[in-house]
């Protein structure tokens, strides 16, 4: 007993192995934390590799486009070494022409021309035409180039080439918000007949808001009914909500196409009932109406489920108490019931809105021209115009908006409170 | 939901109006799915109910669109229907190939998502988990980030690492998309899980592995299975990633539908849609049974 | 996990093994046109060589090429593209340069270089058909349009219109309908005022247009009664009329001519086999064969005399061919250089126009 540490008397508790309890506890906690983390680590690693890295890499593309630098390094170097507005000298022009000839030979001239064309309309043919004849050009090069096309003397062209001569650029973000750089490099709006992205972002958010509102309008009554019916009935009715939720998105979209077409089920029914004439068929598809109707249907369960789970927890005696204290049923609903459903309204609305702004399939199939959303334009630039940097810039803006909403959702609702059926 | 006896006539009227409104909303939810089922048996190549169909005349109905599901893409669809014909169906019919692909991709994606997702959910529901909220947010994000962005990112990434046009690439992508569902359902099950059961097992001498398989696992099984079902359905329904990164050999059912819808929405699409609805009904039934089992296990009142 | 890795790697191996046995992935435009290629080229070639041909449909086969080449994973061996896309892709180094002097001579002994119709042979591609984009309409509406101007006349011809989603064809049609003679269309379209004029004309029917993307859509839109008139590829409409007895008709004046050509993307997995297929499928007889399945003109002059009856065995193909002398008078030939150079900017303008509602 003589080796009892002196600090025992000072009241320090010890674990069985003699370490101070505080240290042992901390160590045990560290171990528990490490163990918990190790369980999560494989998945975290998996998601980082298959999801976060690919998206990060794509975002990099929105500011990185080395087409010009890679194919015309010496010309790019000349731009780097001279201040803006410098008249190209013969040496620079000789380098340009040499690369034009080489690029035409290697069949990369179109890629260079396309890159410049993104920033300045109608310049692609300058490069392909000059490339075809570059091998035969002789000094003085300035005159020789001007001889091919007078546009080579345009300061705006050289200003544009200077802009694309760096691999890193913010120009695709400018393009994604309908802006461009003018001659002296300052940011201006593009001509109104070329502005498209801001309109589409605006439309995407407006339509999503409308769809969210419609989902709330339709979801609230049935969620309330489901929450107040005895479980026996509500479980049966719940199937009507869950079946669409579990049915393939393409199946539901197809169903709406069948219903909404000019010669579809709905119009035919209306005509045969004599409500509308055969010539007065309602246009419900290939426009915004189609997008809104189909998406409201598809997203409605995402509104009903969170609403339902909140409404289930509301104690009906509050409303009864309000009534017994003299409130009309409307007042009792508005002042007592509705405030208690707000968490559900918030959760459902945010979820529906977040999902709606990123929708692609349904608008592509039923939206026609006016029902397209920003996702459809991203797909267009990915698959048709192949302006991948612009697609990435648009995607980055959309992603930023979605992540901001997601952060809000996490703060207000908490991602761990998400419920599925 | 019964009306209180003190309800005024106005309230009564409103109550019944309300019920009618609810019925209409339920109709809106379910009608589109139900309407395609009879239309898939249409004998004509139209999307409306023909007069014969409305009169319930058997001549108005036919299985020709289901037959088309088998014959479409075959080398010799008109040959006599013997063993060679069926082998032709098995190897060449577009929809059969698509179904095989969907099942293969769905199976492996579900497996990965469920195993990794369940492990992670176990970690996430421990109170001592560090950075819980942030990590949870990252793991759920594949469900939130617009699919077009995910598909675009995967397109570039897979091209770089050589996973494009491969089964592995699509399986990994679908697993990622299914993970949030597994996490959500399994963590939800674990919320009601009594941690003292684990401690009891440990104090009785069980190793952590044994505790997991004999105590934890059976209790969270309903959550794991419903998470797996969600993950499977996510993969089974996914078309955008397949559009962006898959080669023709990896054509899945939704991809084939996408083609069909854009080119010619013949009632063949409705036939496959009807089959998919039947599958959803089956999955939903399984899920409902699991939910009841889970409630029983956790001692909650049965529904 | 190990087992799963094993299984997936087995799956991959199976995939590779199948690809190695001799397959060709051919991307084309689908629908009746894809079917005609299947009958005239793919099936006989598979029977002849044992090579398995996978026929893949795309709205425009040119678009996946650039994506695949630039991303460095090419799965397409052969694609069927329009000349303007061919020139653009060729300039950007996305296509293999083909040894076109290896192409077989025509059946009459003409060297291949002279046998192909002008515009049907490039160093990156070999022509198969001449097709036309033109107005198709339903004959059961009581009134038949007689000119491209009628397409824009909503009072005389009420109802929805179908147009291909994109600047190409829409702008040309709009200008011709606005009175520009076919010979001057591209001169006018080369000026900013001309572009404005074309869009102004399109504005007059904008809210009545359903935009289609795949060539199989217009006959479907007409058949469903979703539109009363639409631009379409002549062969698709012809096949719908012949095979499904649809009440359609074609408006030949102001048809817009173009070619379709086989190309091989740079880095195609079976480049040599692809070239063998192209050489075989573009000989005189094969090109003539295809015309028996769809009303598109063969790209070789020597094939024309061999074009016989439609596959039904009774319909003469001559009157349904875009190359019929009766129809070429006020036809417009697509200006390849124009579209190679202006495709991007005009489509940007088109998208902006479409999005502004």
């Amino acid at each position: 007993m003589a080796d009892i540490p002196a600090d025992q008397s000072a009241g320090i508790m010890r674990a069985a192995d003699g370490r101070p309890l505080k240290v042992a506890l901390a160590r045990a906690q560290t171990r528990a934390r490490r163990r918990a983390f190790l369980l999560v680590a494989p998945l975290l690693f998996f998601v980082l590799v298959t999801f976060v890295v690919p998206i990060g890499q794509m975002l990099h593309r929105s500011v990185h486009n080395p087409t010009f630098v890679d194919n015309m390094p010496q010309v790019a170097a000349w731009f780097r070494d001279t201040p803006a507005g410098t008249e190209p000298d013969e040496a620079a022009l000789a380098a340009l022409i040499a690369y034009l000839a080489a690029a035409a030979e290697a069949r990369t001239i179109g890629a260079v021309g396309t890159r410049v064309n993104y920033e300045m309309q109608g310049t692609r043919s300058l490069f392909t035409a000059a490339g075809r004849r570059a091998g035969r050009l002789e000094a003085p090069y300035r005159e020789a180039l001007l001889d091919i096309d007078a546009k080579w003397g345009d300061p705006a062209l050289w200003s544009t080439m200077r802009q694309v001569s760096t691999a890193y650029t913010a120009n695709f973000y400018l393009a994604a918000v309908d802006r461009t750089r003018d001659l002296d490099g300052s940011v201006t709006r593009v001509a109104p007949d070329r502005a498209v992205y801001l309109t589409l972002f605006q439309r995407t958010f407006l339509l999503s808001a409308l769809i969210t509102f419609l989902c709330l309008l339709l979801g609230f009554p049935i969620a309330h009914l489901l929450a107040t019916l005895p479980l026996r009935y509500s479980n049966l009715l719940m199937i009507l909500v869950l079946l669409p939720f579990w049915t393939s998105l393409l199946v539901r979209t197809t169903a709406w196409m069948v219903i909404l077409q000019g010669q579809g089920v709905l119009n035919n029914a209306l005509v045969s009932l004599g409500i509308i004439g055969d010539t007065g068929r309602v246009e419900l598809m290939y426009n915004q109406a189609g997008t809104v109707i189909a998406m409201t249907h598809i997203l409605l369960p995402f509104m009903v489920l969170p609403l339902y789970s909140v409404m289930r927890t509301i104690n009906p005696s509050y409303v009864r108490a309000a009534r017994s204290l003299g409130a009309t049923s409307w007042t009792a609903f508005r002042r007592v019931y509705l405030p208690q459903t707000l968490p559900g309204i918030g959760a459902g609305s945010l979820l529906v809105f977040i999902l709606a702004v990123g929708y692609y399939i349904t608008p592509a199939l039923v939206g026609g021209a006016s029902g397209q959303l920003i996702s459809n334009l991203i797909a267009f630039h990915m698959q048709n115009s192949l302006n991948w940097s612009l697609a990435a810039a648009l995607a980055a803006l959309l992603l930023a908006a979605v992540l901001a909403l997601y952060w809000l959702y996490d703060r207000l609702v908490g991602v761990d409170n998400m419920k599925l059926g | 939901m019964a009306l209180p006896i003190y309800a005024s006539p106005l309230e009564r009227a409103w109550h019944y109006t309300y019920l009618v409104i609810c019925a209409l909303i339920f109709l809106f939810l379910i009608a589109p799915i139900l309407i395609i089922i009879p239309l898939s048996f249409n004998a004509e190549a139209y999307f409306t109910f023909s007069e014969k169909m409305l009169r319930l005349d058997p001549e108005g109905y036919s299985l020709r669109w289901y037959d088309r599901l088998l014959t479409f893409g075959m080398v010799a669809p008109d040959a006599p229907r013997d063993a060679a014909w069926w082998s032709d169906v098995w190897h060449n019919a577009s929809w059969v190939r698509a179904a095989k692909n969907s099942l293969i991709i769905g199976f492996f994606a579900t497996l990965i998502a469920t195993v990794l997702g369940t492990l992670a959910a176990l970690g996430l529901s421990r109170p001592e988990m560090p950075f819980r909220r942030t990590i949870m947010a990252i793991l759920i994000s594949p469900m939130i980030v617009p699919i077009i962005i995910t598909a675009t990112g995967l397109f570039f990434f897979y091209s770089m690492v050589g996973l494009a046009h491969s089964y592995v690439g699509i399986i990994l992508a679908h697993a990622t998309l299914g993970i949030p569902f597994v996490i959500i359902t399994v963590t939800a099950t674990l919320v009601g899980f009594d941690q003292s059961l684990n401690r009891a097992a440990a104090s009785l001498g069980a190793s952590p592995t044994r505790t997991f398989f004999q105590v934890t696992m059976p209790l969270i099984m309903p959550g794991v299975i419903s998470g797996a079902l969600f993950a499977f359905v996510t993969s089974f329904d996914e078309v955008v990633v397949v559009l962006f990164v898959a080669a023709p050999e990896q054509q899945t059912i939704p991809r084939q539908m996408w083609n069909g819808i854009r080119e010619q929405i013949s009632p063949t699409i409705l036939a496959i849609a009807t089959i998919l609805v039947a599958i959803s009904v089956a999955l939903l039934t399984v899920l409902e049974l699991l939910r009841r089992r889970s409630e029983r296990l956790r001692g909650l009142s049965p529904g | 996990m190990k087992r799963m890795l094993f299984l997936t790697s087995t799956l991959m191996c199976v995939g590779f093994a199948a690809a190695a046995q001799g397959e060709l992935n051919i991307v084309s435009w689908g629908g009746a046109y894809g079917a005609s290629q299947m009958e005239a080229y793919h099936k006989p070639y598979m029977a002849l060589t044992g090579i398995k041909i996978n026929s893949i449909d795309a709205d425009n086969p040119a678009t996946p090429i650039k994506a695949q080449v630039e991303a460095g994973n090419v799965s397409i061996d052969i694609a069927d593209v329009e000349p303007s896309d061919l020139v653009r892709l060729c300039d950007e180094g996305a296509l293999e340069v083909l040894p076109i002097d290896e192409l077989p001579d025509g059946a009459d002994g003409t060297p291949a270089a002279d046998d192909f119709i002008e515009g049907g042979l490039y160093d990156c591609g070999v022509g198969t058909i001449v097709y036309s984009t033109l107005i198709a309409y339903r004959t059961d509406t009581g009134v038949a349009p007689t000119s491209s101007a009628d397409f824009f006349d909503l009072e005389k011809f009420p109802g929805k219109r179908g147009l291909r989603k994109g600047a190409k064809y829409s702008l040309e049609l709009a200008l011709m309908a606005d009175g520009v003679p076919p010979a001057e269309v591209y001169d006018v379209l080369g000026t900013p005022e001309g572009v404005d004029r074309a869009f102004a004309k399109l504005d007059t029917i904008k809210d009545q247009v359903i935009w289609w993307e795949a060539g199989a859509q217009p006959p479907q839109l007409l058949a469903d009664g979703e539109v009363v008139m639409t631009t379409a590829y002549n062969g698709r409409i012809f096949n719908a009329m012949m095979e499904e007895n649809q009440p359609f008709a074609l408006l030949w004046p102001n048809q817009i001519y173009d070619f379709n050509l086989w190309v091989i993307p740079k880095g195609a997995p079976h480049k040599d086999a692809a070239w063998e297929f192209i050489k075989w499928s573009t000989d005189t007889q094969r090109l003539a064969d295809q015309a028996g399945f769809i009303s598109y003109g063969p790209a070789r002059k020597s094939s024309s005399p061999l074009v016989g009856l439609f596959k039904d065995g009774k319909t003469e193909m001559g009157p349904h061919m875009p190359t019929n002398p009766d129809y070429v008078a006020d036809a417009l030939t697509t200006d390849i250089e124009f579209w190679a150079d202006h495709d991007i900017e005009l489509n940007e303008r088109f998208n902006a126009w479409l999005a502004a509602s």
Side-chain angles (χ1 to χ4, degrees):
Chain A
M1 282 308 191
D3 58 347
I4 290 178
D7 54 11
Q8 174 91 22
S9 53
I12 290 185
M13 307 259 292
R14 290 193 176 261
D17 59 357
R19 283 177 302 165
L21 192 57
K22 203 170 165 186
V23 177
L25 202 62
R27 197 166 295 168
Q29 262 174 352
T30 315
R31 206 164 44 232
R33 291 174 65 156
R34 195 185 308 137
R35 199 176 295 149
F37 186 76
L38 279 179
L39 282 170
V40 180
L43 182 63
L44 192 61
F45 177 74
F46 183 83
V47 169
L48 283 178
V49 170
T50 60
F51 186 72
V52 179
V53 170
I55 289 183
Q57 192 206 8
M58 180 213 35
L59 295 183
H60 179 237
R61 231 169 233 277
S62 66
V63 290
H64 181 72
N65 189 323
T67 313
F68 195 91
V69 188
D70 285 355
N71 289 306
M72 303 199 155
Q74 260 184 321
V75 185
W78 180 81
F79 278 114
R80 202 168 48 241
D81 297 340
T82 54
T86 312
E87 282 276 311
D89 54 22
E90 279 293 298
L93 288 175
L96 173 70
I97 286 171
Y99 276 108
L100 284 175
E105 187 65 27
R107 295 188 184 268
T108 52
I109 188 81
V112 175
T114 304
R115 174 67 190 95
V116 179
N117 200 84
Y118 286 151
E119 312 282 341
M120 186 175 171
Q121 310 291 338
T123 50
R124 189 184 182 281
S125 51
L126 277 182
F127 284 83
T128 48
R132 275 193 284 275
R133 292 166 60 180
R136 296 190 298 274
L137 293 183
E138 284 169 9
Y141 291 119
R142 191 178 164 74
E143 280 66 32
L145 266 181
L146 286 177
D147 202 36
I148 297 177
D149 198 314
K151 272 195 203 156
W152 283 105
D154 187 352
L157 174 69
W158 287 89
S159 154
T160 307
M161 280 167 66
R162 181 177 289 280
Q163 281 176 43
V164 302
S165 68
T166 53
Y168 284 91
T169 172
N171 282 10
F172 291 104
Y173 280 93
L174 292 180
V177 289
D178 293 332
R179 298 293 191 278
T180 182
R181 285 186 196 277
D182 60 13
L183 201 52
D184 56 9
S186 56
V187 176
T188 51
R189 277 172 173 277
V190 297
D193 61 14
R194 296 195 189 279
V196 50
Y197 305 112
L198 283 183
T199 323
L200 263 163
F201 270 114
Q202 198 184 4
R203 179 196 294 163
T204 303
F205 285 99
L206 278 177
L207 284 188
S208 300
L210 175 64
I211 289 161
T212 309
F213 174 73
L214 287 175
C215 280
L216 183 61
L217 201 67
L218 298 181
F220 196 92
I222 58 171
H224 179 248
L225 184 73
L226 286 170
T228 48
L229 276 181
L231 268 182
R232 247 175 319 145
Y233 301 117
S234 75
N235 272 351
L236 277 179
L237 281 178
M238 198 53 154
I239 292 174
L240 300 183
V241 179
L242 289 178
L243 185 60
F245 185 64
W246 277 83
T247 304
S248 160
L249 172 71
L250 279 167
V251 170
R252 285 179 281 169
T253 307
T254 316
W256 279 111
M257 293 176 79
V258 168
I259 295 172
L260 297 179
Q261 280 190 8
Q263 304 289 328
V265 173
L266 187 63
N267 265 316
N268 276 4
L270 290 176
V271 169
S272 60
L273 291 175
I275 297 173
I276 52 172
D278 199 22
T279 50
R281 287 171 181 268
V282 196
E283 292 164 20
L284 293 167
M285 207 172 93
Y286 301 124
N287 53 25
Q288 288 187 7
T291 302
V292 170
I293 294 173
M295 280 179 66
T296 303
H297 176 255
I298 290 164
L299 292 170
L300 188 48
F302 289 97
M303 180 67 87
V304 174
L305 295 176
L307 273 177
Y308 169 75
S309 66
V310 166
M311 287 175 175
R312 276 291 299 277
T313 63
I314 296 175
N315 192 334
S317 53
Y318 292 140
V319 172
R320 281 204 289 271
R323 292 298 307 272
S324 76
L325 290 170
T328 64
S329 54
W330 167 238
T331 313
F333 172 77
R334 189 168 53 90
R335 300 279 299 272
V336 177
Y337 191 78
L338 193 62
Q340 295 184 81
T341 63
L342 280 179
I345 293 178
S349 303
L350 269 171
L351 192 59
V352 168
F353 190 82
I354 289 172
L355 294 176
V357 289
Y359 248 58
Y360 165 67
I361 295 289
T362 309
L365 290 174
V366 300
S370 67
Q372 303 289 300
L373 304 183
I374 196 73
S375 281
N376 302 94
L377 220 61
I378 295 176
F380 172 81
H381 283 305
M382 277 303 296
Q383 299 190 303
N384 289 44
S385 81
L386 302 168
N387 190 348
W388 290 344
S389 291
L390 181 56
L394 289 168
L397 293 177
L398 176 62
L399 185 65
V402 167
L403 288 183
L405 289 164
Y406 183 44
W407 176 81
L408 193 69
Y409 181 90
D410 190 28
R411 292 303 300 271
L412 294 180
V413 189
V415 283
D416 36 358
N417 288 332
M418 215 179 262
K419 292 259 167 38
L420 298 163
Chain B
M1 198 53 220
L3 270 179
I5 16 181
Y6 49 80
S8 66
L10 189 69
E11 280 172 0
R12 263 168 218 284
W14 163 243
H15 179 72
Y16 290 113
T17 321
Y18 167 71
L19 289 182
V20 170
I21 290 173
C22 283
L24 288 175
I25 298 171
F26 280 119
L27 188 71
F28 170 74
L29 267 169
I30 206 73
I33 294 171
L34 296 184
I35 224 161
I36 56 176
I37 296 175
L39 280 176
S40 72
F41 296 98
N42 197 342
E44 313 273 338
Y46 301 111
F47 294 120
T48 45
F49 293 95
S50 61
E51 278 197 17
K52 278 183 181 164
M53 291 185 90
L54 292 174
R55 275 190 277 120
L56 293 178
D57 184 340
E59 272 182 35
Y61 294 85
S62 92
L63 286 172
R64 62 186 278 210
W65 306 113
Y66 290 85
D67 193 59
R68 180 70 71 81
L69 284 182
L70 294 179
T71 54
F72 185 71
M74 279 176 67
V75 176
D78 301 323
R81 305 206 163 184
D82 50 14
W85 188 85
W86 283 105
S87 145
D88 191 2
V89 168
W90 180 250
H91 291 293
N92 295 315
S94 307
W95 287 103
V96 176
R97 277 173 61 168
K100 285 193 274 187
N101 278 333
S102 279
L103 288 175
I104 292 172
I105 292 168
F107 174 76
F108 286 108
T110 307
L111 199 66
I112 298 176
T114 314
V115 171
L116 292 182
T118 307
L119 277 183
L122 286 169
L124 284 170
S125 37
R126 296 196 172 190
E128 58 272 11
M129 177 68 202
F131 310 113
R132 186 168 178 281
R133 221 180 158 123
T134 317
I135 290 178
M136 185 91 171
I138 293 174
L139 296 181
I140 303 288
S141 58
M143 187 176 127
I144 294 298
V145 170
I147 186 72
I148 192 88
I149 294 180
T150 313
T152 308
L154 287 175
F155 170 75
F156 293 124
F157 184 69
Y158 280 0
S159 306
M160 196 180 75
V161 300
L163 275 175
H165 307 145
S166 72
Y167 280 96
V168 177
I170 298 178
I171 289 170
L172 293 181
H174 281 186
T176 311
L177 293 174
I179 278 163
F181 296 96
V182 178
I183 301 251
I184 290 173
T185 50
V186 179
T187 40
T189 322
L190 284 166
V191 166
F193 183 74
D194 188 352
Q195 292 288 345
S196 58
L197 291 173
N198 279 348
R199 285 196 286 275
S203 74
L204 290 169
S207 68
T209 330
R210 186 156 176 214
T211 311
F212 174 74
F213 281 107
Q214 298 210 329
V215 178
T216 318
M217 189 78 158
L219 282 168
I220 62 166
M221 210 51 198
V224 174
I225 294 180
S226 63
L229 286 180
F230 267 110
F232 183 78
V233 167
T234 308
S235 163
F236 206 69
D237 192 20
E238 203 289 321
V239 59
V240 184
V241 169
V242 177
L243 272 174
F244 273 73
V245 302
E249 300 95 72
Q250 289 114 33
Q251 198 91 294
T252 58
I253 291 182
R255 178 70 180 77
Q256 186 80 23
M257 282 185 81
W258 169 263
N259 266 2
I261 294 173
R262 301 205 31 182
E263 288 214 340
Q264 269 173 307
I265 21 175
S266 80
T268 317
I269 294 290
L270 301 187
I272 191 79
T274 304
I275 294 175
L276 291 183
V277 170
I279 294 176
S280 328
V281 171
L283 287 174
L284 193 60
T285 316
V286 173
L287 205 69
E288 178 65 16
L289 293 176
L290 282 172
R291 195 182 59 80
R292 293 195 180 169
R293 181 184 143 83
S294 158
E295 281 181 354
R296 217 176 36 244
L297 278 176
R298 287 157 62 188
L300 299 173
S301 64
Chain C
M1 188 71 190
K2 240 184 199 152
R3 191 181 157 77
M4 188 210 74
L5 276 178
F6 167 75
L7 277 171
T8 45
S9 49
T10 321
L11 267 177
M12 271 179 81
C13 292
V14 170
F16 288 138
Q21 273 168 12
E23 287 198 17
L24 283 175
N25 287 330
I26 302 185
V27 186
S28 184
W29 302 72
Y33 177 58
S36 76
Q37 290 177 324
M38 177 58 84
E39 296 298 328
Y41 308 142
H42 304 353
K43 279 188 181 171
Y45 196 69
M46 285 193 274
L48 191 71
T49 62
I51 291 175
K52 185 172 187 320
I53 294 179
N54 299 316
S55 171
I56 303 146
D57 300 343
D59 290 350
N60 180 354
T63 53
I65 294 182
K66 172 91 186 300
Q68 293 198 355
V69 171
E70 202 146 308
N73 55 71
V74 181
S75 67
I76 302 172
D77 293 306
I78 299 176
D80 183 318
V81 304
E82 295 172 359
S84 54
D85 286 327
L86 178 139
V87 169
R88 202 159 53 89
L89 291 168
C90 200
D91 274 345
E92 296 177 10
L95 301 178
E96 293 284 351
V97 178
L98 305 172
I100 47 172
D101 48 339
E102 290 176 13
L103 288 169
D105 292 343
D108 52 4
T110 324
D114 301 325
D115 196 18
F116 278 88
I117 300 172
E118 198 194 333
L121 196 56
Y122 293 83
D123 51 359
C124 287
V126 183
T128 55
I129 58 150
V130 177
Y131 72 96
S132 118
T133 305
L134 73 186
I135 296 166
Y137 58 94
R138 285 187 74 96
T139 49
D140 55 3
T141 54
V143 275
T146 53
S147 71
S148 49
D150 289 349
F151 192 82
F152 291 81
D153 189 341
L154 290 172
E155 283 188 10
K156 237 162 75 190
F157 304 94
K160 292 268 181 187
R161 311 289 200 254
L163 272 173
R164 177 163 122 156
K165 191 173 179 182
K168 198 173 162 187
Y169 303 130
S170 307
L171 297 181
E172 287 108 315
L173 182 72
L175 284 183
M176 287 194 288
D178 208 27
V180 178
E184 294 164 27
V185 162
Y186 288 104
D187 296 333
V188 175
L189 209 52
T191 62
E193 300 75 32
V195 177
D196 289 343
R197 182 173 167 189
F199 277 107
K201 188 70 179 174
L202 286 174
D203 264 331
T204 59
I205 54 166
K206 187 175 178 184
D207 57 347
Q208 290 295 314
V209 175
I210 291 177
W211 301 95
W212 55 267
E213 288 172 80
Q217 285 172 320
Q220 187 72 22
L221 288 169
L222 276 179
D224 291 344
E226 291 293 312
V227 297
V228 295
M229 261 187 250
T230 178
T231 57
Y233 304 133
N234 69 299
R236 312 275 188 144
I237 299 298
F238 171 79
N239 278 36
M241 286 156 62
M242 300 307 296
E243 293 178 354
E244 298 162 29
N245 294 314
Q246 295 284 2
F248 301 163
L250 291 169
L251 188 65
W252 288 100
N254 290 348
Q255 60 158 323
I256 304 172
Y257 260 156
D258 215 337
F259 283 90
N260 270 171
L261 309 100
W262 290 135
V263 298
I264 304 181
K266 189 147 228 153
H270 311 101
K271 189 180 126 191
D272 296 333
W275 177 234
E276 288 305 315
F277 172 82
I278 291 179
K279 280 195 286 187
W280 179 86
S281 63
T282 57
D283 73 7
T284 303
Q285 186 58 49
R286 247 45 65 184
L287 291 183
D289 286 350
Q290 195 190 359
F293 295 99
I294 196 160
S295 59
Y296 292 141
R300 277 187 190 252
K301 293 172 204 150
S302 63
S303 303
S304 294
L306 302 177
V307 173
L309 301 175
F310 187 58
K311 62 184 174 188
D312 64 358
K314 55 176 192 276
T315 311
E316 275 294 338
M317 292 309 287
H320 301 285
M321 289 291 185
T323 40
N324 186 309
D326 294 348
Y327 308 145
V328 296
D330 48 3
L332 172 74
T333 309
T334 309
D335 187 329
I336 296 139
E337 291 291 323
F338 178 88
W339 279 111
D341 283 342
H342 298 277
D343 190 56
I344 296 173
E345 58 175 298
L346 288 179
N347 268 312
E348 254 177 43
R349 170 86 184 261
F350 178 82
N351 278 328
W353 175 80
L354 204 57
S357 35

